[in-house]
Amino acid sequence: MTAMEPSPLTQQARPDVFEPKVVGLYRRLFREDDEDEISEGFWKELFLLKPDVPRLRQILEDTDPNFLLHMQHQPQQLVLQAVTHIKAGQTPIDENALDTLTVFFAVVLAKKYTNPSSDIIEVLAGLDNVDAVFTELVTRLDQTIREGRTSVELRQKAVRTTIAVVAGGYQTALVSYFINRDFFPALMKLIHQLENPLRASEPFLLTGLLANYNKFETHNQYRIRFSDFVNDEAMKSIVESVSWTCTLLRERYITIQDDTPTTWSIGGTLSYVGLGGLAGVKPAAPALTEEQQRELFLEQPGLEAAIFLTLYDFVMTNKLFCHTFLTLPSPDKGQSGPFSTFISFNSYLFQHAYRTSRASMYAYLNLLVLLILVEDVDLAKLLCETSASVRLCRQRPPHLPLPKGERPHATAIIDLLTDGINHNLRKRLDTAFYTQSLAVISRLLAYLAKSRTKLTYHWAETWRSLLSFVRFLTTYSDDLKALPRTTELVEALAEVLARALTTGEAFLPDAAAYDDLFYKLVESGDALIKLRDVYSLSTPTAKDSHINTLINVSKHYQELIDSERAKKEHLSPKEVSKIIKQGYETLGLEAKEGPRAAESGYREVEFRSVLKRAARVAVADAANLVSR
């Protein structure tokens, strides 16, 4: 407080701003004061008053972690007293206690301690009392989420408190108390009962945090819960929540740079769920400069993206959930279905994935979701048979053709991946992102060929993007060869092109589309040879090489074209097309399965390290989400 002139009556200094009484209680609680014992009346008054969350956060952030250790009795008493008042179940005391604990855990657990695990336990409960204190805390939070005075608002606050302590204490043994008690039934019950689907994102997120805790090291009961879950109505509520979260995250990109082809309003979309203000940006804002846009894009995706960790786990373990995710229509005819909004959001995420390692990690996590879906024959069939209109990002050129009306999800996925390949080209290439994108394309092409599913799609754009990528890899090979997994990436690219070439007749819509693929490969013959030699993919005589398959086809047709040009200098496109058709008769093509194609399918253990990194990103976002 800053003092003004003394009062003429009392001659005491008057503050510029009169702070709420609860702030004075915070100051007393987090200061060293051995003379005054904190009474029961203090705690009753503290939790009766509405918390001043910003001021409490500021006071806690300004408190040194060593000081918290030194005066540990006060924070320990805060936890004990808050739990006691939550247990009493009196309004508004229990809600205020939960709000206070949420901020307390979020800030205190984020501090840097000399001995993180033991120091945190000392601050929160004390080594001798931690079992009793945290067992009681976990019990009260679970019961409040499950029943909570029949108040949905109170139950949501209990979820936020649980996220704060689980996310904040993720690297400590404290989370084991939450693992040992099964929160899953209470969380699913709450998700089903929430009328607003966006509000369900936090209990959904919490299940993912719990399911990913030490999941590769120890038995985790939440993983079993995910696979056994069959409640159809709750599942629909989850999918709707994912859908609206994707919509919210996407609109933040659009607000930074509006790429809408026609007049459209953020508030119009989000107002459906009564959360028009959650986009986080004021409507009708003035146009942003490029620098302002760049700064805002760096902050995307929003913290709510942490739910994709839970989405991955459900898709990984529960085929019924996948079916619901792919087929559930929108409850409102004016909005896209859940899977459409998922693809739509990812188109924005993928176009900007290169900006931060965080965005790249979420993009990779969602690529794994797509990989799991396209690898399953039944789900891949659904992707080809289920049609919808999908809004795709058009914030940066080159732009793919703007689709009109509904089309199969599979084609939207190929657009998504093609756009991702086009818009993340950098000398410091994200090789993991590109390798995974090519893996999804490869699996999808494999399904299309095997099922002889012919999709009407602008395939020429995909081949053009892949062959442009070939030229990029050869042009900047000196920089790219030093990056990890570059050889694996180049081999994956050659495999996708070879698969398209050898099986294209089975999935391309007509002969003209197949001819176009051959023509583009003939044009890229020199680049393909350079790619093989620069990255040492194969010897020129190796017969089982994907890259040599491509080069041999290119050479075969180039020889035929050169032979015709010896007779006639200028060949029209129609004449070249005729040569390509005639060349089929003398071309020996044999489909070759790559090492990945021979595998039984997606194996999570192979992605253990990247999934652990994704969990750390989601945990950090979850902690920041509830501390706002």
Side-chain angles (χ1 to χ4, degrees), residues 43-106:
W43 297 110
K44 187 173 183 179
E45 184 176 28
L46 175 68
F47 296 124
L48 270 172
L49 296 171
K50 183 176 177 61
D52 188 327
V53 171
R55 298 295 293 277
L56 174 58
R57 183 188 299 113
Q58 189 60 54
I59 289 170
L60 288 168
E61 287 176 348
D62 292 342
T63 304
D64 185 86
N66 290 326
F67 183 72
L68 282 172
L69 269 171
H70 178 67
M71 41 85 74
Q72 59 188 250
H73 180 69
Q74 282 97 313
Q76 289 174 8
Q77 284 299 304
L78 173 62
V79 175
L80 280 173
Q81 291 292 334
V83 172
T84 300
H85 285 81
I86 293 168
K87 182 179 179 180
Q90 297 178 351
T91 183
I93 292 176
D94 48 5
E95 292 188 24
N96 293 341
L98 286 167
D99 286 338
T100 302
L101 273 185
T102 299
V103 179
F104 173 76
F105 283 131

Side-chain angles (χ1 to χ4, degrees), residues 401-602:
L402 186 64
K404 295 180 181 180
E406 296 187 347
R407 58 182 182 147
H409 283 318
T411 60
I413 291 174
I414 301 171
D415 266 359
L416 168 68
L417 300 170
T418 302
D419 249 355
I421 289 170
N422 289 339
H423 290 106
N424 291 278
L425 297 174
R426 297 289 183 276
K427 287 185 180 180
R428 293 184 61 81
L429 196 71
D430 186 344
T431 55
F433 172 83
Y434 274 85
T435 303
Q436 205 56 47
S437 296
L438 292 167
V440 178
I441 294 175
S442 180
R443 305 301 206 285
L444 192 50
L445 294 185
Y447 169 78
L448 294 176
K450 189 171 183 179
S451 62
R452 303 195 71 81
T453 302
K454 295 181 180 290
L455 294 177
T456 301
Y457 175 71
H458 39 257
W459 290 105
E461 298 295 334
T462 297
W463 313 141
R464 184 179 292 112
S465 296
L466 292 175
L467 291 168
S468 293
F469 188 35
V470 168
R471 288 185 281 275
F472 173 84
L473 290 168
T474 57
T475 302
Y476 299 102
S477 58
D478 290 342
D479 298 288
L480 298 173
K481 285 169 70 174
L483 299 176
R485 297 183 64 185
T486 304
T487 301
E488 180 185 351
L489 165 61
V490 177
E491 289 175 343
L493 176 58
E495 180 189 341
V496 168
L497 288 169
R499 184 184 294 280
L501 182 69
T502 57
T503 65
E505 192 175 10
F507 66 82
L508 291 172
D510 50 41
Y514 200 33
D515 293 347
D516 177 71
L517 172 58
F518 276 83
Y519 185 71
K520 284 182 169 55
L521 285 170
V522 172
E523 287 185 315
S524 304
D526 292 342
L528 291 168
I529 293 172
K530 187 175 180 182
L531 185 74
R532 178 192 64 192
D533 297 342
V534 165
Y535 290 96
S536 303
L537 296 185
S538 172
T539 62
T541 57
K543 294 183 179 180
D544 59 347
S545 162
H546 293 299
I547 191 68
N548 280 344
T549 297
L550 298 170
I551 292 170
N552 291 338
V553 168
S554 178
K555 282 183 176 179
H556 174 77
Y557 281 104
Q558 192 63 55
E559 289 171 358
L560 291 177
I561 291 171
D562 290 344
S563 175
E564 289 298 317
R565 278 185 177 150
K567 305 172 187 176
K568 183 180 178 182
E569 186 174 351
H570 297 290
L571 298 175
S572 67
K574 189 174 181 180
E575 289 172 319
V576 172
S577 178
K578 185 178 179 181
I579 294 170
I580 289 175
K581 289 178 181 177
Q582 292 173 343
Y584 291 158
E585 300 173 6
T586 53
L587 179 68
L589 270 183
E590 182 180 349
K592 295 181 177 64
E593 292 295 318
R596 287 179 174 272
E599 295 174 356
S600 58
Y602 176 78

